[in-house]
Amino acid sequence: MKNILKGSLILLMTFLLGGCSKENLNPVPQTLLGEAQAFDTKDRVVGQVNGMYASVKSGAFLGGRFYVYLDIRAENFFPKSTNLVTNYATWNHNVLSTTNEVQGLWNSIYASINAINIFLEGLNANWTSGKLTTIITETEYNQYLSEALTLRAISYFSLLQLYAQPYNKNAGASPGVPLRLQAEKTGANNDLARSTVAEVYTQILEDLNDAEPGAINAYSTALLNTTRIHKNTIIAFKTRVYINMNNFPAVKTEAAKIVPAAAPFVAPSGHPHQLSSSFAAIWNSPYTLPESIFSMPFTETNTAGTQNSKAHYNHPSSSESYYLNRTAQAFTALNDADARKVQFQTGVVNSVTEYFVGKWRSFTPQIDYAPVIRYAEVLLNYAEALVRDGGTVTQQAVDLLNAVRTRSFPAGAYVLGDFADAAAFRAAIMLERNIEFLGEGFRNMDLARNMMALPGKGTVPAIQTTDPNYIWPIPENEMIFNKLMIQN
Amino acid sequence: MKKLLMMFTLFLMAGALALAQTVQISGTVTSSEDGLPLPGVAVTVKGTTIGVSTNASGAYVISVPANATTLSFQFIGYKPQDVTIAGQTTINVQMVQDLFAVDEVVVVAYGVQQKRDVAGAISSVKGDAVKLMPVQSFDQTLQGKAAGVMITLPNGVLNNPPVIRVRGFNSISSSSFPLVVVDGVPVFSGNFSANSSAANALADIAPSDIQSMEILKDASATAIYGSRAANGVILITTRRGAIGPKARVTYDGFFGYTQPYNLFEVMNADQYIEHKNLARTNLDPTLAPFTLVNDANGNPINTKWADYIYQTGFQHSHAITISGSTAATSYFLSVGYSDQEGMIQKNTYARKNARLNLEHKFNKYITFGGNFGLTNGLNSAPNTGSLPGQGFNTAGAGRLAFVLPPNIAPYLNDGNYNTSGSAIGNMGQPMGNLGYYNPVPIFDLNRFTSETDRLLATLTATIQPVKGLFIKTVYGIDNMMVETQTYQTGLTGDSFAANGFVGHTFNRPTRWTWTNTINYDFTVMEKLNLGVLAGVEEQYTKSESWSGSKTNATDPFFKVYQGSWVTAGMGGGGLSEDYFLSYFGRFNANLDRKYYFEVSVRRDAFSGLSIGNEWGTFGGASLMWNISREGFIANSALGENVTDMRLKASYGRVGNISGIGSYESLFLYGSGVYGAAPTWSFVQAGNPDLRWEASDKYDVGFSFGLLNDRIQVDLNWYYNNVNDLILNLPQAPSKGVPGNSVPVNIGAMYNTGVELSLTTYNVTSPNFTWTTNFNFSTLKNEVTALAAPAVTELVGVTSGLETTNRTLVGHPIGMIYGVETRGVDPATGRRIFINAAGKEVLYGHELTVPTVASRWFYKDGSGLAPAVSVASDGKPLGSTIPKVYGGLDNNFTFFDFDATIGLTYAFGHYVYNGSKAGLRDQRWWNNSVEVYETAWKQPGDITNIPKPVFNDNLSNGSAIIMSENVEKGDYVKLRTLALGYTIKNLPAAVGIERVRIYTQLFNAWVFTKYTGSDPEVSSNGNSNLAPGIDRNTVPQARTYSFGVNISF
């Protein structure tokens, strides 16, 4: 009996003790950081800055597919595969609001915009509260601010390229995209109407102009100068924004900050951007020549992801890449001695030897950087703006065009007399851009800002500016969950 | 006062005198069937707690008070008997077998109850019913066995976890899968593999170790599991030691063959060339035609790709069990080995398991017990494209079997694999780059395995200080180690670009559960039986996994992680833990087994919820009235014909936490890299107000027996109102919230239906018996609220790429959503689409002049039409939830033969036949023979296949969900056909008591109008939002097995 009592008592004790691990009710994750600690050290702040870049570098956006969409919609490429996962519907102009490209790109860009807004909210809140003043300097605060604002501007600009009518259609009066400018972390604020294209451009320029003064002049290493935003990056991007708005005086003003009045064309302040003397060298490791103003970096352990990389879409060894349309102007106008044609790779498709853009030659592993902005573009923007603003062709404009052209094709230099009028020069600029930036996502942008049809290729007909599929539809999920959204 | 005191003392003395007067009664208890003694029979003095058990010889001695009137004899499997003492000192009893099993014991939460005392809705399935099935895990055999429980085997991939729903869909964003409890310990369930070799955690519980399975369905049965009870509970009890003087040794073994059935019939090379060239001509007559290709011997190639993917698999399985008991100890020991090849080449499952269940009565107060189960399972499978998320994998074997052209071969004429980079080569045919992989090298060279080592152990100690009072502590652990290994060749396929890939993931989920209960059953005034249970339970779960990968082999020789690779991947892993603390109690009372009342309450805290919201209170109550025991009924005509009439009703509020992770309520940042620079990014928008998901459950039941319990009927009506759903509220993508959703407690849905379980003992003569088990369940599911006005619908996506389902308020969950089509226009051969305005629109893929928009035009000739799309013209096309489902089992014995015919059925639902869209796709993909034979050729043809135009992937449904591909999924399936013969009465020298040899056919046939391979399918597994989808999965397997059961 005694033993029983003892046993029962023991059990009863364990019974009562059983509920005594209440602190286990609040475990703390060991691999994820709580909100409150995200701004505790400088490394974490810098980590968040790099996190914004990592976000825009997503495979759907600047890490790969975005440029592909802008190229394959035009006339220069044919697909090796009809796989819908590798953008066949975009090439075919068969996209719907539920197509993966349409939903995926929108999701990716807005995820980056929200990541930037969250960082801005946290950075500003912690700076005003004083927590950050002991961790970073005011210069650094301004620098991080400028990087965030510029990335946001790039994101909104990219959205407008596919989901809205060109600015130049009607001075931006068409519906644009919703302007999300505050951090979204809860279930509120789903409904937001589209701002007009003009309003979005205003915000883009406001962000860029706010960013420029506080931006860092130049980083200490070539890698940082290529992969992080500095003052000249912002200026270069402004030339792109202004030329898309046909605001040529502004292009000239901005370009003049980083392009001197005469050759040699080297940026006079900040990081000394200049053309690389060899076209091929741009595409080789370490990918950080001064010509590369802003590129997305990759390493063996940090690639673009399955079916996302530039190599996947341009390398002959890829079964889903796109080869060049040999009847399109970008190919026929190339002289055999042009370095850009020499750069091409070849591969056999359907028993025929076809040409592929050879800028991303590393297939295993796929670590070639993806360029977002190159100095060559600034020169061509400047040249075009000079002529379209003045109405006449000037030697300065010809020199700028020649700088880019003769870098790859020394025998192809133009002279002033080659151009009967401004229109002829514009055509030459368009051709040069077509050739120079093949595969870098410029063609659609250049055609759209000039209100030109997207030429056809093979059995795919041309798309006129008045066709509904000149631009992409708004994704289905946005239509469903944003009640103020209007479809294109 | 003095008088009272005197009376009291007299009373006491009388009592003492009475107590002092005890009578000793002894006797023997035997079985009336064979006269053999029955040990372990409970002999009790009715109305008291005095009782003994018969010993190994069936004999007992009991001291009863002088005024005792009745002795009760109770033993499992036999009808209880009450014998009047009437002065006898020797009472021998012959117990009669309970053929109709009305007095079985049913396992309930934290205890057992007699079947006739059970007020909750509980379905019982015996372990013997499932132990001989040629499957990998017991949950694959439960379909049709329990009313209200719908089990779907998604396909024939080995160890792919079945979809289990108890009384409908009880959640939208969280899981609807029930809680699985083994010997009192909630265990891990689901697929634990990190690659395509599915590893169902429930397969670690060897079917031969299972004694019984109880499925708890309504609130009164499940409420004691509180916050995890909303989806129902499956209680598994493993076998105990056999009672009897001799240890029982059994051997169960079978071997079998498995094959896929209902494979698609696709075109051969000649038909393919003819049809595709017609399509190419219809698009553009200048296109180069497809031709036959000659192999090395000069004969035209005609490849049957299915032959390279499917096979006849061989399976064999063995289990030996030894069980017995001595006076104080009972033991059950089992060892098993199972080696199964599946119907897909390279798909195998091998399991080695051992179990020891011990129970030892230390003395008459204290009992110890320990159950230990150790399992090692090795799963291997190619990329079948049939697990959730795999539907559109380029390497998916299910699709490769029917999509690849028959005029190309897996090998080139020089003997090498036919590949072109990562894809299969086109052997010179003008098909462009095919994109899909050559299945032969990727089957030959790639390797996907997952190996599970599992320890399931329970330690129990019970103290019974006084009769009826049990203090029990149970400590259980569920420890798993899962190692997943993947090797992909760099020669071709997914890892061509990376020049080879190898990756390992090591996952160690562990859990301990500690339950302490006090249980007191006692009787007051002979008729009022009361039971009280109070308990505390803690559970701690930790999940740790880490992974490493490498790419770019330095030499194709290296196929293992330990080889030489150029690039080391980033590695990864996960780390999470959660903790549960609960207090619970249950009170049940019955008056003379006529009026029953039960109530249970549970207070749960879960660490994954936000601070301040961790605690939730749940509970349920039930009432039951055993009408047959009422005097006025028992003596009436009704009482003579109808037995055991019981009317019951229950209500409870239970919860569901399966959708809440360990850190769901927090705002968190995750890390990564940008190039080589470390990053921090916001990754989770938590909800600090997140609460339990909770539902109200109502149940009314009526059960009775007819013809003296020959017919047993159990009817239940239920209504489950899930009114505090956790919804992962989709957000407008422009907000950029990580995952585009935020978890919020909002929304409501209900399930209601009627369940009928019928057991009839049709014939019970000594040489021929026929028993039927029939169950029939109806289900109506409706979503009553989402998060209006912000969210009025949710989408369900198949494998992340095809939006197939939509969940709308006022409709069942997961309806197929697409555009309506009405066949093919005989005049033009175009598919007829119905747009939102109800007008008929035709689609012609080759019409691109003047613009691509010319492809769409009105049938009535009124001009071009806007393109039809799901977004603008879609509507619900059918519910994927069966309206009626169940099973019909017929068991026969004829002399020494036995036979079983088991049927399962489901009616009233639709299935989206996505594979059919692929079978009619007019790109270079191969098509079904139906397309070849019935494609529209000239005006006037009436057919369902439109004019073939090359590259048309819209008229067939690849690029749009359409009603042409939504089919009724009604089916009757012949699930099991078994025939056995038992040899008894062997000479004693042989040492074998009986041998049964049997043959069995599993998944024998399906009767259905569905044109896919099997209407029992789910490409999205257990998904709540996207059920009923058949997209590129492999078919089901039919297994023939031959086996033997030997009892020594």
Side-chain angles (χ1 to χ4, degrees), chain A residues 4 18 21 25 33 35 47 80 82 107 110 114 180 185-186 188 190 227 301-302 319 350 363-364 461 476 478 481 483, chain B residues 365 422 432-433 497 538 568 570 579 607 667-669 674-675 679-680 685 732-736 789-790 793 852 871 923:
Chain A
I4 309 311
S21 315
L25 279 174
L33 203 59
E35 223 185 356
K80 274 171 92 169
T82 56
N107 287 346
Y110 271 109
N114 196 32
R180 298 272 181 193
K185 299 188 215 167
T186 67
N190 271 302
T227 60
T301 51
N302 186 225
S319 58
N350 280 346
F363 193 64
T364 304
E476 186 62 15
E478 187 73 28
F481 298 116
K483 298 284 184 274
Chain B
Y365 303 106
S422 58
N433 187 292
E538 284 176 88
M570 279 292 274
Y579 179 70
S607 63
F667 289 84
L668 296 171
Y669 283 76
Y674 170 60
T679 66
W680 283 105
S734 61
K735 282 172 66 180
E793 55 184 65
V852 166
R923 291 176 273 183

Side-chain angles (χ1 to χ4, degrees), chain B residues 696-1025:
Chain B
D696 288 311
K697 292 192 193 279
Y698 306 83
D699 182 288
V700 174
F702 183 55
S703 64
F704 57 92
L706 293 172
L707 299 180
N708 221 9
D709 281 335
R710 269 179 100 111
I711 300 178
Q712 293 166 24
V713 180
D714 198 0
L715 263 175
N716 274 291
W717 168 88
Y718 66 89
Y719 181 84
N720 292 346
N721 186 9
V722 192
N723 48 25
D724 207 6
L725 279 173
I726 294 180
L727 280 187
N728 282 331
L729 261 197
Q731 304 294 299
S734 61
K735 282 172 66 180
V737 171
N740 279 334
S741 71
V742 172
V744 177
N745 285 88
I746 201 167
M749 172 169 71
Y750 71 81
N751 295 286
T752 183
V754 168
E755 291 167 8
L756 167 67
S757 291
L758 193 63
T759 305
T760 60
Y761 296 88
N762 306 314
V763 181
T764 52
S765 60
N767 287 323
F768 178 59
T769 69
W770 175 22
T771 314
T772 305
N773 277 301
F774 174 64
N775 60 66
F776 173 91
S777 319
T778 69
L779 173 57
K780 175 173 190 272
N781 169 296
E782 187 179 307
V783 176
T784 48
L786 286 173
V791 177
T792 52
E793 55 184 65
L794 296 171
V795 297
V797 184
T798 298
S799 297
L801 288 174
E802 188 177 32
T803 305
T804 43
N805 307 66
R806 220 168 266 212
T807 297
L808 304 156
V809 174
H811 291 267
I813 189 175
M815 302 205 61
I816 305 172
Y817 193 87
V819 299
E820 188 190 337
T821 54
R822 253 177 237 164
V824 166
D825 177 28
T828 58
R830 314 284 182 201
R831 173 81 62 201
I832 303 174
F833 292 86
I834 313 297
N835 68 10
K839 294 188 73 172
E840 293 180 331
V841 179
L842 304 181
Y843 178 79
H845 187 76
E846 78 279 24
L847 306 170
T848 52
V849 175
T851 66
V852 166
S854 325
R855 287 172 172 162
W856 298 92
F857 53 99
Y858 289 107
K859 178 162 179 268
D860 58 14
S862 55
L864 291 186
V868 171
S869 71
V870 174
S872 46
D873 310 290
K875 54 169 102 137
L877 294 177
S879 164
T880 54
I881 303 178
K883 293 203 173 70
V884 164
Y885 58 93
L888 174 63
D889 280 347
N890 281 298
N891 297 292
F892 304 89
T893 62
F894 181 66
F895 290 98
D896 288 334
F897 287 94
D898 61 84
T900 305
I901 305 176
L903 292 170
T904 62
Y905 62 89
F907 300 109
H909 59 293
Y910 290 86
V911 178
Y912 174 65
N913 192 348
S915 297
K916 182 161 88 173
L919 279 168
R920 295 172 170 186
D921 195 301
Q922 291 307 312
R923 291 176 273 183
W924 52 260
W925 301 19
N926 199 355
N927 298 134
S928 59
V929 172
E930 181 202 13
V931 171
Y932 173 73
E933 288 170 353
T934 64
W936 186 94
K937 298 250 172 33
Q938 72 236 340
D941 280 351
I942 303 202
T943 170
N944 253 339
I945 310 287
K947 175 177 172 184
V949 176
F950 195 70
N951 277 341
D952 180 2
N953 68 343
L954 199 127
S955 304
N956 62 313
S958 279
I960 192 170
I961 312 287
M962 53 190 205
S963 64
E964 167 74 17
N965 294 332
V966 177
E967 300 184 40
K968 283 194 142 150
D970 299 349
Y971 70 86
V972 174
K973 187 173 265 203
L974 186 54
R975 174 73 95 204
T976 44
L977 261 181
L979 181 64
Y981 180 72
T982 309
I983 307 171
K984 293 194 271 225
N985 302 325
L986 291 160
V990 179
I992 296 179
E993 189 196 317
R994 22 178 286 160
V995 178
R996 173 172 175 261
I997 48 178
Y998 66 94
T999 170
Q1000 179 168 276
L1001 186 55
F1002 186 75
N1003 263 350
W1005 204 253
V1006 60
F1007 302 93
T1008 179
K1009 286 214 169 67
Y1010 179 68
T1011 62
S1013 57
D1014 196 317
E1016 185 184 4
V1017 66
S1018 181
S1019 289
N1020 294 317
N1022 263 292
S1023 165
N1024 292 318
L1025 286 171

Side-chain angles (χ1 to χ4, degrees), chain B residues 146-177:
Chain B
V149 180
M150 178 76 187
I151 304 212
T152 306
L153 295 182
N155 47 50
V157 176
L158 292 181
N159 238 355
N160 189 4
V163 181
I164 302 184
R165 298 196 198 286
V166 176
R167 292 190 168 174
F169 290 67
N170 285 293
S171 182
I172 295 184
S173 296
S174 313
S175 169
S176 281
F177 199 84

